[in-house]
Amino acid sequence: MRYWMGFKLRHMFLKASLSLLLVPLTTAAQPQVRTLSIDELFRLGIENSLRMQASRIGETLAGERAKSARSERLPGLNVGLSGGYLGQPVVFQQGLTQATRPDTPNWSNNYNIDLSQPLYEGGKIRYSIRQADLERQIASLSTENDRAEIKMLLLQQYVALYNLYKQTEVLQQNIDESTRRLEDIRRMRNEGLVTRNDEIRSELQLTNDRLALREARNDICIVSQQLDVVLGLDETLLIAPDTALLYTAAPVESYQRYVERAYANYPELKIARENTSLARNDIRIARANYLPTLSLHGANTLARPITRTMQDTYANNWNIGLALSYNLSSLYRNRHRVEEARHAVSLRENAEQQVMQAIRVNVRRACTKHQEALERVQALMLAVRQADENYRIVHNRYLNQLSILTDLLDASRVRLEAQMQLTAARAEVIYTYYQLLQTCGSL
């Protein structure tokens, strides 16, 4: 008797502790909830991503390099100013004898302007401009690739958030059902139809479901805070996903169609092609060293004194002409640079082929996984209906004393697992669909 009373007191204390643990904090301020669509998620993520900011800065730098390359076609202009003190000259009339010191001015001034306009450099300037333009396109494609990867990272968190919300919904429904079942069991126990053991096991099941619900709600807060930081929102804001997204159509096209789209749009393949063009342009730059250079130059100089007569007056001189030069050493020094550039082209073409191979593999895997996710949803929808029917039958049998509580709890667990799996499968359909779009370069 004493043992039974001690057990009952411990049980009551445990129930009271759990009830205090699971009671919501109604006095605390409830966090604000914001429903976020997938388009808004992507927009905020792109606008506030530090990675995207770095990509935009790199794109701006590439644009400035392109402008600098074009400025090489402009003339070079130098302006100079010099002045100084002239020492006393000594003039020897005969050999090193009969030294005389003529009167000369003490100060000198020189003002000059030099102009140089390149006319022909073997195509170096033109190919340098093309190189800068290609590098700017590569920077732009890298930004596009980063944008797609950021979208997938955001979508991964977004889908996880949907799973957690759906999990809390399913758990709450299961808790409500377990609460009604516990009331039925207590009524049956008072009538002497079931034992205290059935009531205890039902209470334990209900406690586990409540703890799982609390954990899911905490996970919602954690994932929402992670998204808030990335999206530039208030960290206390709870984000709710748009559930309509999970029921939108996710059509599947043919594998070959996806491959064609990937060949045309995939950013990494575009980058590989631009790198190949860049390597071919390096060959042209290397070959330009075999050609002569021609430039137009002009100058104007205003100086005093006149150096021939040492007269303290200003003299102005100007000149204009053409300069032609040819680097003979390029005939034996530049040959290896051209060969190096040719091998670089072969290497870039090989990298391009590797990307194309990876595209076919990735597209096939993405298509298969997406189709698999669609089929899983159809199978699990049937499984949920079967689990609901099974639970209904076992519940009625238990109320009529035709089955034991273990069968009823097993049926409840099977139904809960089926609902959770269906939720995860619906989210997986959306994730695999966007993953397929990313593989095709359409995200």
Side-chain angles (χ1 to χ4, degrees):
M1 183 66 178
R2 182 179 303 171
Y3 175 79
W4 169 253
M5 291 297 295
F7 172 79
K8 191 168 184 179
L9 288 173
R10 287 194 300 271
H11 177 65
M12 292 175 62
F13 178 76
L14 177 62
K15 287 180 62 178
S17 301
L18 288 175
S19 62
L20 290 175
L21 175 66
L22 299 176
V23 168
L25 299 177
T26 56
T27 58
Q30 295 296 324
Q32 185 180 1
V33 180
R34 175 176 176 178
T35 302
L36 206 64
S37 66
I38 189 69
D39 293 334
E40 192 175 8
L41 173 77
F42 290 160
R43 180 182 63 81
L44 291 175
I46 297 302
E47 289 178 356
N48 296 280
S49 172
L50 295 178
R51 180 175 174 181
M52 284 302 302
Q53 292 178 14
S55 298
R56 295 189 192 101
I57 293 174
E59 197 172 347
T60 302
L61 289 175
E64 294 299 326
R65 284 194 293 268
K67 294 177 182 178
S68 297
R70 282 176 168 78
S71 66
E72 294 297 323
R73 295 181 298 188
L74 301 176
L77 182 63
N78 293 319
V79 178
L81 169 65
S82 62
Y85 181 81
L86 294 176
Q88 176 64 52
V90 178
V91 178
F92 297 94
Q93 300 294 332
Q94 184 176 1
L96 295 177
T97 62
Q98 301 181 10
T100 62
R101 291 175 172 79
D103 293 334
T104 59
N106 296 326
W107 299 95
S108 67
N109 304 101
N110 189 304
Y111 309 93
N112 61 82
I113 299 176
D114 294 325
L115 176 69
S116 177
Q117 173 64 55
L119 299 178
Y120 178 75
E121 293 192 3
K124 287 183 181 180
I125 296 178
R126 182 172 72 255
Y127 296 136
S128 296
I129 293 174
R130 175 169 173 75
Q131 180 183 14
D133 289 338
L134 290 172
E135 291 176 349
R136 183 175 59 180
Q137 294 176 15
I138 291 174
S140 177
L141 291 171
S142 298
T143 302
E144 182 181 345
N145 189 51
D146 291 341
R147 183 182 295 109
E149 291 182 359
I150 290 172
K151 286 182 178 180
M152 288 305 300
L153 293 175
L154 292 172
L155 183 64
Q156 187 177 8
Q157 295 289 84
Y158 192 77
V159 170
L161 202 57
Y162 168 80
N163 278 332
L164 290 171
Y165 272 104
K166 195 64 179 178
Q167 184 178 349
T168 58
E169 180 182 342
V170 172
L171 284 171
Q172 187 61 57
Q173 293 175 357
N174 198 65
I175 288 172
D176 295 339
E177 180 67 25
S178 298
T179 302
R180 290 191 295 269
R181 183 177 65 238
L182 181 59
E183 293 175 355
D184 292 337
I185 291 175
R186 286 172 176 171
R187 177 181 53 79
M188 294 170 63
R189 178 175 175 271
N190 293 332
E191 295 175 358
L193 299 178
V194 297
T195 63
R196 170 62 179 159
N197 184 58
D198 288 357
E199 182 180 2
I200 293 176
R201 293 189 62 183
S202 298
E203 290 174 348
L204 290 175
Q205 180 66 36
L206 183 59
T207 300
N208 291 334
D209 289 342
R210 286 174 175 169
L211 287 173
L213 179 61
R214 174 57 63 88
E215 292 174 358
R217 288 174 176 171
N218 290 338
D219 290 339
I220 287 176
C221 295
I222 293 173
V223 177
S224 293
Q225 191 265 349
Q226 293 174 353
L227 283 176
D228 289 335
V229 172
V230 175
L231 301 179
L233 301 175
D234 183 5
E235 294 187 20
T236 61
L237 185 67
L238 288 183
I239 295 178
D242 184 8
T243 55
L245 174 70
L246 278 298
Y247 300 94
T248 56
V252 179
E253 300 180 15
S254 65
Y255 161 73
Q256 193 59 37
R257 176 60 180 161
Y258 281 126
V259 171
E260 292 174 359
R261 288 171 59 184
Y263 283 170
N265 302 315
Y266 193 56
E268 289 189 8
L269 182 57
K270 289 182 179 180
I271 291 174
R273 289 169 177 166
E274 295 297 335
N275 282 327
T276 302
S277 300
L278 192 62
R280 293 193 180 101
N281 190 72
D282 289 339
I283 294 180
R284 299 186 183 98
I285 293 177
R287 286 176 175 172
N289 291 324
Y290 288 124
L291 302 176
T293 61
L294 177 65
S295 63
L296 173 68
H297 66 86
N300 186 85
T301 302
L302 176 65
R304 61 175 282 268
I306 299 175
T307 56
R308 288 173 299 181
T309 63
M310 298 305 292
Q311 184 178 356
D312 192 13
T313 57
Y314 282 98
N316 188 76
N317 298 311
W318 64 274
N319 65 82
I320 187 171
L322 294 173
L324 178 66
S325 64
Y326 184 80
N327 187 6
L328 291 176
S329 62
S330 64
L331 296 176
Y332 53 87
R333 287 182 176 178
N334 199 52
R335 179 168 57 88
H336 300 292
R337 295 177 184 175
V338 173
E339 289 300 320
E340 179 184 352
R342 288 174 178 170
H343 288 301
V345 170
S346 300
L347 186 62
R348 293 298 185 182
E349 289 175 345
N350 181 273
E352 185 178 340
Q353 293 297 322
Q354 292 183 41
V355 174
M356 295 178 69
Q357 287 181 353
I359 284 176
R360 300 186 69 88
V361 173
N362 293 336
V363 169
R364 173 67 72 182
R365 182 173 63 249
C367 285
T368 303
K369 290 298 182 181
H370 183 56
Q371 186 63 41
E372 180 182 306
L374 290 172
E375 294 173 356
R376 185 184 296 112
V377 168
Q378 296 300 321
L380 288 174
M381 289 175 64
L382 176 60
V384 168
R385 290 195 296 269
Q386 292 172 342
D388 289 339
E389 180 64 17
N390 178 65
Y391 177 79
R392 186 187 64 81
I393 293 173
V394 175
H395 182 261
N396 292 334
R397 288 174 60 86
Y398 178 75
L399 294 179
N400 294 322
Q401 296 296 299
L402 297 177
S403 65
I404 61 177
L405 181 63
T406 301
D407 296 334
L408 181 59
L409 295 178
D410 288 342
S412 176
R413 178 182 54 80
V414 170
R415 184 181 64 167
L416 180 62
E417 290 179 356
Q419 292 172 337
M420 294 292 190
Q421 290 175 359
L422 178 59
T423 298
R426 290 188 186 278
E428 186 68 15
V429 167
I430 300 302
Y431 184 78
T432 55
Y433 177 68
Y434 277 91
Q435 196 171 41
L436 183 57
L437 293 181
Q438 182 197 20
T439 306
C440 299
S442 302
L443 184 59

